[in-house]
Amino acid sequence: MRDIHPTKVRLTEVAAALIDEHGSQGFTVEQLLEKSNISKGSLYHHFEDFHDVIMQAQVQRFARYVEEDIEALTRVLLAATTREDMFDRLDLISRATHDVARSVRRADRIEILAGARHSEKMKNALAPTQARLTVAIADLVREMKTKEFVNQDLDPTAVAVFIQAYSLGLIVNDVSDEQVDLEKWHALISRMTRGLL
C-alpha cells in the first residue's frame, strides 16, 4: 500500500483539530487552508471537496477514539488473574468510559456514526475502523472465555456490540435535564455484567 501524501495528511489532521475545537460545521474551507498553510488547489487535488475533507477528518477522529479504547481494554483485561479480578477491572473501565468528562467523546462518536446513515461513502469509510473495535473486544471476550472467566455459551461478537452499545447509550443521560446518578448507573452495569458474563 502506498503512503498517503503529506499534504493530504496535513489537511486531514488540521481539519480534525478544527472539528475538535469548533465542531464539524464550525469552520470554513478558508480557515482550514489558512491554519494548514496549504493552497486551495492542493486541497482539491487530494479531496473531492470540502465535505470530503470533513468526512475523512471525522473518520480519523473516530479511529483515534477506537484505538484509545482498544488499548485501554486490552491493557486492563489481559492483566486479570481471576474472574472476580476481571469484573473489578471491568468496573474500572465502566467508570472511566462513563465519566461525565467523556460526554463530549460520546457525542462526537454518535455524531460521526450518524453521519453514515445517509452517506454510503461515510459508512464504507467508518466500517473497517468500527469492525476493528468490535473484533478487538470480541477477541478479549474469547481470551476471557479461554481463562474460564466468562460463560462459555456467550457469543463474543454479540458481547462486543453490547458493551459498545451501553457505553455510547449513556449519551441519553448526558443530554437529560434529570440525569441518573452515576453511582447508581455503575452499580447497575456492574450487576448486569456479573449476571450476564
Side-chain angles (χ1 to χ4, degrees), residues 41-132:
S42 290
L43 182 144
Y44 291 109
H45 175 75
H46 293 286
F47 297 93
E48 292 175 18
D49 53 27
F50 185 56
H51 178 74
D52 189 31
V53 179
I54 298 299
M55 183 198 73
Q56 292 191 37
Q58 289 287 56
V59 170
Q60 182 182 76
R61 292 174 73 240
F62 189 80
R64 180 177 63 209
Y65 293 145
V66 164
E67 294 305 326
E68 289 171 5
D69 287 352
I70 290 171
E71 182 182 329
L73 284 166
T74 302
R75 185 178 58 250
V76 171
L77 286 180
L78 288 183
T81 56
T82 66
R83 179 175 163 83
E84 192 54 39
D85 183 32
M86 179 198 67
F87 285 124
D88 290 344
R89 290 170 183 276
L90 281 173
D91 287 346
L92 292 173
I93 292 169
S94 178
R95 285 182 176 282
T97 59
H98 299 150
D99 191 271
V100 173
R102 290 190 46 142
S103 64
V104 170
R105 286 179 81 152
R106 282 189 290 277
D108 281 349
R109 286 175 84 165
I110 294 290
E111 177 187 353
I112 294 166
L113 287 167
R117 180 170 179 235
H118 296 291
S119 169
E120 194 67 26
K121 187 174 180 180
M122 180 69 153
K123 181 180 176 184
N124 291 336
L126 281 177
T129 301
Q130 178 56 51
R132 193 167 65 248

Side-chain angles (χ1 to χ4, degrees), residues 155-169:
D155 178 73
T157 303
V159 172
V161 171
F162 172 76
I163 288 170
Q164 294 172 76
Y166 81 70
S167 294
L168 285 176

Side-chain angles (χ1 to χ4, degrees), residues 114-184:
R117 180 170 179 235
H118 296 291
S119 169
E120 194 67 26
K121 187 174 180 180
M122 180 69 153
K123 181 180 176 184
N124 291 336
L126 281 177
T129 301
Q130 178 56 51
R132 193 167 65 248
L133 177 58
T134 300
V135 167
I137 296 170
D139 286 346
L140 289 170
V141 173
R142 284 184 194 89
E143 180 67 25
M144 297 303 106
K145 285 176 78 168
T146 300
K147 293 180 177 183
E148 298 185 357
F149 291 174
V150 298
N151 294 327
Q152 297 299 308
D153 60 341
L154 290 175
D155 178 73
T157 303
V159 172
V161 171
F162 172 76
I163 288 170
Q164 294 172 76
Y166 81 70
S167 294
L168 285 176
L170 194 60
I171 195 166
V172 170
N173 197 52
D174 294 335
V175 299
S176 177
D177 286 337
E178 295 183 29
Q179 296 187 343
V180 68
D181 180 301
L182 282 182
E183 285 306 312
K184 292 178 180 177

